[in-house]
Amino acid sequence: PLSPAGESPGGGAGETGGSLCLLPETVLARVMHMGWAAVQLDASTVRIENASTGRAAMLKTEMRLVGVALYGNNIAVWSGAKVEIYEFDASDRPLAPPKLVGDFPSRATAAALWDDHIYLCVGARVEVANYIGSIQASMGLSDTDGEASAIHVAGSVRSGAGGATASLAAYVAVGTSRGFVKSWDISRQEPRQHARARRLVAGIPAGGGEAPMSRVTSVSITADGSRIAATVETQPQPSASWSRSASIYVYVVETDQVQAHDFGPAHRLPARPSWDGAETRLLAVETRPSPAAPAGAPKLEATTLFSTPEQGLKVRDSVSPQADAAPAADNTGGGGDNDHTGREAEVEGLLGIVVPHLYLITTGASHAEDTAGEEQAGKGGDAGLVQRMRLREFAGMPEGEIDAATSHALIAFSYHLTVGEMDEAHRAVKKIKAASVWENMARMCVQTRRIDVAEVCLGHMGHARGARALREAIEGGADAETCAGVLAVQLGQLQDAERMYEASGRHDLLNELRQAQGDWDSAISLAEAHDRIHLRTTHYVRARGLEAEGMTDAAIEHYQKAGTHRTDVPRMLYDLNRTSKLLEYIDGRKEPELYKWWAQYCESHGQFDRALDYYQHARDHLSIVRVLCFHGKTDAAAEVVHESGDAAAAYHLAKHCEECGRAKEAVFFYQRAGRFSHAVRMARDNDMASELSNLSMQAPAKVMVQSARYFEDKGQFDQAAKLYQRGGNMSRALELCFAHNRFQALREIADQLSADTDPALLKKVGDFFIGHKQYDKAVRLFTIAGEAHRALELISTHNIPITEEVAEALCPEQPAGQGGSDETRVALLLKVAKACKRQGNYHLACKKYTQAGDKVKGMKCLLKSGDTDKIIFFAGVSRTRDIYILAANYLQNLDWHSDAAVMKNIVAFYTKAKAFENLASFYDMCAQVEIDEYRDYEKAVAALREALAHLSKARNAPGAPAKAEALQAKVDHVDSFVAARKLVKSNPEEMMRRCNALLDQPGCDQAIRVGDVYALMVEWYYSQQQLQQAHALVERMRGRAIILSPYLDAEMVSAIYGSVGMPPPSDGPAGGGGGANGRGGGGHSGEMDDEMDEDILDGDDDDE
């Protein structure tokens, strides 16, 4: 098996006839120097070929070759055990086979030729030998550096006669098995170190003992020795297999800096770096797909890079010769270079770079063909393996215009362009005068999308049209892809232009380009798929072209698709005098526009009946009426207008009637046409007052005013005033109403007055309404006029209801930036609020008080309204202590016991107001309600404890200690009674004792209902049938003026009194009179309600 150069050799195994054969793999070597190339064809054959002429010779040897070296007209081959050196005469025609000039044994793994020496990589040293194997010098490597694995020699040479060369300066670079590169200067008799050993792959640990972690597979040094390029293989771990690195490395000797470019993101692997002999910053490298590359990736790419001091390695260009360079890779445009093959050749790899060309190896003639046809190869009859491809800077340039200065200038231009130094790029080529060079650079700008550079190039070319087109594209905001497409069109690179337009999504420009190329099918398909906005335009342009070519039917089809067939098809067929076909087309299409065109054609030729027929088909009622009026058929025309309702036809008939003196019909048809100005004019000129009034209302304002003057002259002032008002002459309308006392008309006009009306006029109308006791109208007008005080005076005096609209108008907000007193507006707001309150409009009064800043009065108005939800909401948003207290006081009047939300709000409002004394009083009242209404003393004592806790927070309140003492006494009394009730079953004697003691305590009746205490004891005695004791207690109850029925069951009372032989007493106190609350005639349940009413309403009218 044969592997392309740059890949690691290996081997394989196969089974034949039951035996196992080992198949070694051979890496095919290739090398180039001074225009000659040596290409290994198989394990023992090398082809020597002139890269320019294709002259070739074959070198056969008995060795199994592992490498080839070339210098001048000398070629060296080696097998790892032996080295052979041959010489050929470059001037021979045909080229004779090389002659052996020396051979010797050597275990060299790599070698290079220079002058009359061969440089051999043997272990950890580089041996310098002559052509017969005599070692003349040795260059050693340290143990750290590793063994020499790759070598390259480069320098400056001078060609002599017969292919001889003379060295001017030379450097040898070596790559090692440990990933180092090192170079020596061999210009003198004794080699000396030029660059110390430098490791390329940094950061890889050297773990695992002696196993290297990176090794150099190929190396290349520049002719001036300033840079060394290399590819490497890496080993992540000592036990892992070696893998090719995706990076290309360059060691810059002067700065001791390692530069790298990673091809990994593009899924490519680099190999065979090659420097240009003159442009030492320009590096070429071939890349192949990595295992992770997507399907369809190019098998080979030739990438050129610049080694820059600041930005490292910058990619200049990347091309795929597989597609671009077959069969002949040269794209000079001038012909001549390796254009000597008639069959396709697949590009195998990169051979080297010599500006202005990249040199490539192709899969040319087979080894058998080359062996049999050496003579034909020498004569140029065979296909050469070496082909070359122009760098993009030189594409299309004649060979004679490419000299050293031009080459250097263009490469310098490309270098500065790549690193973004536009000034330097322009300076590099400013001395070049050849238009072809500038044109070539402009073509290069198409690929690089450097539109700024393209402008300069077009200027030097004198390409005014192209410069203008490019400038217009830039000014139009086009992106770089689109501008590159425009540039490509101007340079004639139409395929590139199509690609650019497609990439930028400018399908409109791509459509125009294909139209210009005459590719109409493609243009229309593109418009249908991507450029539908220009689809009709495309069809129209195509139709015009077909019309010019005389292809009428095809033109008609495209005119129809363009949507212009209604005008263009009749024009085209009429110009061709094909009226019969035109009529056939019109009747077939059945379109109103075409019918109308033919009708006009017939009318122009005096065929009126036929014209009417086609106008009818076209439903062109205006034209029908016009023709009928022309022939005096007014009634028929009127019938058409009535049936169609066409305004244009009605207008034409009205004009005809006016010309004929038929005024009434003219007015009617003007009205049907919506031309009220004309109708009014006719009605006014012919004294048609009844029609004039209605028509004027529908006419423009100017006509309304004219009609108003007419009615004013006729003494019809109501109608005149209305028209003046509708026409915008409000002052004249009001003057008529005042002058002629037209009260009803004035009322109607007043409803239409707004703030835009003259304030003086509004006041005048308001005074008029006051004189006629129309106070509500006057209030509205004074409000609009800004006379708020007069409006309020009328409202107060005559009790005019205030709506929200009026209230807002009386106190408008002052726009920002305008003058105006806040005090004046606040005073107005307070007056409006007071008036609303007097009228019972409490919500509006609250709003105005709030706008005036008096939220407390606003709350008082809400309290009068009784709207609980709004009261709670207003208190929540106001966040004012007095308002919280007012809201809580109001809520106490509601059924708070059964509505938990109300009770929650009461507690929350008192708490937010920090009115702890009020909150304590509320809890005290809660306790009394629990006792009086529900006899629930447990809840009562809990409420009393809450009251006591909150009262303790009001330490500074007047009388707080006394109130706290009274509350504590209540807690004690209620607590004692609760404890006594719990002893009824367990210890009745103790219960009786505690109850009697409780009744004897002073102030007991203020805390509990004593009737409940007596009832507890009576019920116990009754249950024990101790009726005498029960009777005594009942008498004591009556003695304290306690009504019995709320506490004792009537049957039980009858049984008790029956046991002592007495009738049951009447339901009342023993002495008559007394209270019914069981508190001995005391109690204060109504006092708190009275106090709350006073709190709510007190001071409500202090602003009056």
Side-chain angles (χ1 to χ4, degrees):
L2 303 179
S3 297
E7 297 183 1
S8 299
E15 184 177 356
T16 61
S19 61
L20 182 66
C21 297
L22 295 178
L23 304 177
E25 182 181 25
T26 299
V27 179
L28 299 181
R30 56 180 182 264
V31 66
M32 179 177 175
H33 186 260
M34 296 293 290
W36 288 91
V39 182
Q40 184 179 357
L41 300 180
D42 57 27
S44 59
T45 306
V46 177
R47 176 186 173 101
I48 304 169
E49 181 178 329
N50 187 283
S52 300
T53 65
R55 291 189 301 122
M58 293 298 174
L59 169 63
K60 289 185 174 294
T61 179
E62 300 299 327
M63 300 187 301
R64 185 175 189 86
L65 304 181
V66 296
V68 178
L70 179 66
Y71 177 81
N73 58 349
N74 293 319
I75 181 171
V77 295
W78 62 93
S79 64
K82 182 180 180 181
V83 176
E84 294 179 351
I85 302 175
Y86 293 85
E87 183 180 23
F88 62 92
D89 189 352
S91 62
D92 287 347
R93 291 183 180 274
L95 192 64
K99 297 178 181 180
L100 180 67
V101 296
D103 61 342
F104 55 90
S106 174
R107 302 187 62 83
T109 56
L113 288 173
W114 195 262
D115 272 351
D116 52 357
H117 294 92
I118 183 169
Y119 295 82
L120 305 169
C121 294
V122 182
R125 68 184 186 277
V126 178
E127 296 178 347
V128 184
N130 58 21
Y131 287 178
I132 61 174
S134 175
I135 305 300
Q136 299 182 348
S138 179
M139 298 173 286
L141 297 169
S142 67
D143 293 340
T144 304
D145 299 340
E147 296 182 353
S149 59
I151 189 169
H152 180 251
V153 182
S156 302
V157 297
R158 181 177 65 250
S159 299
T165 58
S167 175
L168 301 179
Y171 302 89
V172 59
V174 173
T176 75
S177 59
R178 290 185 179 271
F180 287 85
V181 293
K182 188 175 182 180
S183 66
W184 290 267
D185 184 351
I186 58 173
S187 304
R188 302 177 184 179
Q189 187 172 2
E190 291 295 330
R192 60 175 181 172
Q193 181 174 299
H194 173 64
R196 68 179 182 87
R198 184 70 156 83
R199 185 164 191 152
L200 299 177
V201 184
I204 297 181
E210 297 298 324
M213 304 301 288
S214 65
R215 63 187 181 192
V216 177
T217 56
S218 62
V219 68
S220 179
I221 190 169
T222 59
D224 61 358
S226 61
R227 291 172 174 84
I228 304 173
T231 59
V232 303
E233 290 181 343
T234 59
Q235 186 184 37
Q237 296 178 354
S239 59
S241 60
W242 290 93
S243 61
R244 293 173 61 186
S245 171
S247 296
I248 180 74
Y249 296 92
V250 171
Y251 173 49
V252 183
V253 176
E254 183 178 354
T255 61
D256 193 29
Q257 174 189 9
V258 175
Q259 301 173 345
H261 177 75
D262 186 11
F263 290 93
H267 304 295
R268 310 289 297 179
L269 297 176
R272 297 194 57 81
S274 175
W275 295 98
D276 180 73
E279 302 295 337
T280 56
R281 295 177 296 189
L282 182 59
L283 172 67
V285 62
E286 72 174 39
T287 64
R288 300 183 184 274
S290 68
K299 295 181 180 179
L300 174 70
E301 284 188 356
T303 301
T304 51
L305 308 94
F306 282 115
S307 175
T308 67
E310 300 294 336
Q311 303 180 31
L313 292 178
K314 300 285 290 184
V315 175
R316 170 195 160 276
D317 191 17
S318 185
V319 296
S320 177
Q322 291 289 134
D324 299 342
D330 187 41
N331 53 3
T332 63
D337 291 337
N338 273 19
D339 196 11
H340 42 72
T341 179
R343 57 183 171 79
E344 291 190 1
E346 182 181 357
V347 178
E348 180 67 25
L350 176 67
L351 188 58
I353 180 172
V354 179
V355 173
H357 296 100
L358 283 173
Y359 287 86
L360 309 166
I361 292 295
T362 65
T363 55
S366 67
H367 168 50
E369 293 172 335
D370 288 322
T371 304
E374 293 179 16
E375 183 177 352
Q376 287 80 359
K379 296 178 180 179
D382 186 27
L385 296 184
V386 180
Q387 297 191 10
R388 61 186 189 177
M389 180 175 66
R390 283 278 183 88
L391 299 176
R392 68 184 182 196
E393 290 84 354
F394 303 89
M397 291 180 61
E399 192 70 25
E401 294 185 5
I402 304 177
D403 55 17
T406 301
S407 295
H408 179 71
L410 290 179
I411 294 299
F413 171 80
S414 180
Y415 172 81
H416 293 299
L417 197 65
T418 302
V419 299
E421 298 173 350
M422 292 306 304
D423 292 339
E424 293 296 327
H426 184 263
R427 191 175 296 114
V429 294
K430 67 179 181 179
K431 294 182 179 180
I432 296 179
K433 303 299 182 182
S436 60
V437 176
W438 290 104
E439 181 180 356
N440 187 61
M441 286 193 291
R443 293 179 185 278
M444 183 179 66
C445 292
V446 174
Q447 306 301 326
T448 60
R449 281 71 160 173
R450 293 305 299 264
I451 308 305
D452 49 351
V453 180
E455 290 185 279
V456 177
C457 295
L458 291 174
H460 283 82
M461 291 167 59
H463 200 313
R465 184 185 69 250
R468 177 180 177 181
L470 188 59
R471 183 173 61 255
E472 289 176 351
I474 295 172
E475 292 174 353
D479 58 11
E481 294 279 357
T482 303
C483 292
V486 172
L487 175 62
V489 170
Q490 297 301 320
L491 297 176
Q493 299 175 261
L494 301 184
Q495 291 184 350
D496 289 335
E498 289 193 10
R499 189 171 64 254
M500 299 297 175
Y501 288 153
E502 185 73 32
S504 64
R506 289 301 301 270
H507 299 101
D508 54 335
L509 297 177
L510 181 57
N511 185 5
E512 292 178 4
L513 177 59
R514 290 180 178 175
Q515 290 180 36
Q517 292 176 282
D519 190 359
W520 288 103
D521 292 340
S522 178
I524 292 173
S525 298
L526 175 68
E528 290 174 345
H530 303 292
D531 190 28
R532 296 195 65 84
I533 194 171
H534 295 113
L535 178 58
R536 290 191 173 187
T537 305
T538 305
H539 281 296
Y540 181 78
V541 175
R542 179 55 175 154
R544 294 288 290 182
L546 292 171
E547 180 184 349
E549 296 172 9
M551 303 173 66
T552 307
D553 293 338
I556 290 175
E557 179 183 353
H558 283 283
Y559 276 134
Q560 289 175 177
K561 291 180 178 179
T564 62
H565 60 284
R566 300 173 187 87
T567 55
D568 283 293
V569 172
R571 173 194 54 76
M572 177 180 66
L573 295 178
Y574 180 78
D575 291 343
L576 295 173
N577 198 25
R578 300 176 63 179
T579 54
S580 58
K581 181 173 178 61
L582 175 56
L583 179 58
E584 179 184 350
Y585 178 78
I586 290 173
D587 289 336
R589 293 295 298 182
K590 297 181 180 179
E591 294 186 14
E593 292 85 353
L594 294 174
Y595 282 137
K596 183 177 179 180
W597 193 96
W598 187 255
Q600 291 172 341
Y601 173 79
C602 294
E603 184 181 355
S604 66
H605 287 75
Q607 302 174 14
F608 295 107
D609 292 338
R610 198 173 184 186
L612 285 173
D613 184 33
Y614 275 93
Y615 278 135
Q616 188 65 40
H617 287 318
R619 301 187 64 80
D620 187 357
H621 303 103
L622 171 59
S623 297
I624 295 172
V625 170
R626 177 174 52 77
V627 173
L628 292 175
C629 290
F630 178 75
H631 290 88
K633 298 179 181 180
T634 306
D635 295 338
E639 184 178 353
V640 172
V641 171
H642 287 306
E643 291 177 355
S644 66
D646 188 89
Y651 178 74
H652 186 86
L653 182 55
K655 291 283 287 184
H656 178 73
C657 291
E658 182 180 356
E659 292 172 358
C660 296
R662 300 164 69 172
K664 189 171 184 179
E665 293 179 1
V667 169
F668 174 77
F669 285 114
Y670 274 135
Q671 187 177 5
R672 285 291 301 271
R675 302 300 183 92
F676 297 104
S677 299
H678 291 284
V680 167
R681 175 179 54 78
M682 286 293 297
R684 190 170 60 243
D685 293 345
N686 292 277
D687 291 328
M688 300 168 65
S690 58
E691 290 85 353
L692 180 60
S693 178
N694 294 328
L695 291 170
S696 297
M697 288 298 181
Q698 305 175 66
K702 182 178 180 181
V703 177
M704 286 185 186
V705 172
Q706 293 173 356
S707 298
R709 293 196 189 101
Y710 172 84
F711 283 112
E712 183 180 356
D713 294 339
K714 296 292 184 179
Q716 299 181 27
F717 301 112
D718 287 339
Q719 192 65 32
K722 184 184 296 185
L723 287 172
Y724 274 130
Q725 183 260 330
R726 293 286 297 274
N729 195 345
M730 190 68 68
S731 59
R732 184 57 184 163
L734 294 174
E735 288 175 4
L736 283 179
C737 293
F738 293 148
H740 301 282
N741 203 24
R742 300 293 176 176
F743 184 70
Q744 183 60 35
L746 185 59
R747 284 180 62 89
E748 295 176 0
I749 293 173
D751 291 336
Q752 305 298 323
L753 296 178
S754 64
D756 297 331
T757 310
D758 183 10
L761 190 60
L762 291 171
K763 295 176 187 177
K764 184 176 181 180
V765 179
D767 291 335
F768 180 85
F769 279 125
I770 290 175
H772 290 78
K773 299 183 179 181
Q774 297 290 318
Y775 303 113
D776 55 340
K777 295 283 186 182
V779 166
R780 178 180 175 277
L781 293 174
F782 283 131
T783 301
I784 296 173
E787 293 289 328
H789 293 286
R790 290 195 64 184
L792 284 171
E793 183 180 350
L794 288 174
I795 289 171
S796 301
T797 304
H798 302 285
N799 197 27
I800 305 300
I802 301 178
T803 63
E804 187 163 357
E805 179 184 359
V806 172
E808 294 296 333
L810 286 170
C811 308
E813 293 187 6
Q814 293 291 339
Q818 288 192 8
S821 172
D822 290 339
E823 292 80 3
T824 302
R825 184 170 183 270
V826 169
L828 279 174
L829 286 169
L830 291 174
K831 288 183 179 180
V832 173
K834 187 188 298 182
C836 292
K837 184 177 66 175
R838 288 174 176 171
Q839 294 180 4
N841 194 345
Y842 296 117
H843 288 93
L844 190 55
C846 172
K847 181 178 180 180
K848 294 303 165 185
Y849 274 130
T850 303
Q851 290 177 350
D854 196 341
K855 295 182 179 180
V856 175
K857 289 184 179 179
M859 172 57 86
K860 290 180 179 179
C861 289
L862 272 184
L863 294 175
K864 289 184 177 181
S865 72
D867 192 336
T868 302
D869 292 338
K870 289 189 177 180
I871 290 171
I872 294 173
F873 175 78
F874 188 79
V877 299
S878 296
R879 300 182 180 181
T880 304
R881 183 176 186 276
D882 293 340
I883 291 177
Y884 281 138
I885 294 174
L886 286 174
N889 291 346
Y890 166 81
L891 293 176
Q892 289 188 54
N893 286 331
L894 305 180
D895 186 11
W896 51 265
H897 190 275
S898 59
D899 192 340
V902 173
M903 185 171 183
K904 181 179 179 181
N905 282 319
I906 293 172
V907 174
F909 289 157
Y910 278 139
T911 303
K912 291 177 180 178
K914 296 184 179 180
F916 300 115
E917 187 177 4
N918 298 60
L919 186 55
S921 299
F922 172 67
Y923 276 115
D924 187 13
M925 183 178 68
C926 292
Q928 295 302 330
V929 169
E930 294 293 342
I931 293 172
D932 294 341
E933 300 295 335
Y934 304 101
R935 301 175 70 179
D936 192 340
Y937 285 91
E938 285 79 3
K939 289 186 178 180
V941 73
L944 287 171
R945 287 195 176 98
E946 285 288 335
L948 189 60
H950 287 291
L951 187 61
S952 65
K953 299 178 182 179
R955 301 184 185 91
N956 299 326
K963 291 181 180 179
E965 184 178 353
L967 274 176
Q968 185 62 54
K970 282 186 177 183
V971 171
D972 295 340
H973 291 322
V974 176
D975 215 9
S976 298
F977 181 60
V978 170
R981 287 206 307 184
K982 293 179 179 179
L983 297 173
V984 171
K985 294 182 179 180
S986 61
N987 193 351
E989 291 80 5
E990 179 64 19
M991 180 269 292
M992 297 296 292
R993 187 189 67 76
R994 291 191 180 189
C995 287
N996 286 317
L998 184 61
L999 291 172
D1000 294 337
Q1001 291 180 6
C1004 170
D1005 55 352
Q1006 299 298 321
I1008 61 176
R1009 297 199 307 181
V1010 294
D1012 289 331
V1013 181
Y1014 281 114
L1016 179 64
M1017 293 189 293
V1018 169
E1019 288 172 354
W1020 187 84
Y1021 280 128
Y1022 179 76
S1023 67
Q1024 301 298 318
Q1025 294 299 312
Q1026 300 179 20
L1027 302 181
Q1028 292 292 336
Q1029 291 86 338
H1031 177 264
L1033 287 174
V1034 172
E1035 287 298 318
R1036 286 176 62 185
M1037 290 178 67
R1038 297 183 67 207
R1040 296 187 68 157
I1042 299 174
I1043 298 175
L1044 301 180
S1045 58
Y1047 306 102
L1048 300 175
D1049 182 67
E1051 292 183 1
M1052 182 176 64
V1053 173
S1054 298
I1056 292 173
Y1057 274 85
S1059 66
V1060 295
M1062 295 177 63
S1066 60
D1067 194 6
N1077 59 0
R1079 300 181 185 275
H1084 58 276
S1085 61
E1087 294 178 1
M1088 184 167 289
D1089 292 344
D1090 295 339
E1091 290 176 2
M1092 287 171 56
D1093 290 340
E1094 292 174 4
D1095 287 342
I1096 291 174
L1097 303 178
D1098 183 35
D1100 191 47
D1101 294 331
D1102 57 357
D1103 59 327
E1104 300 180 7

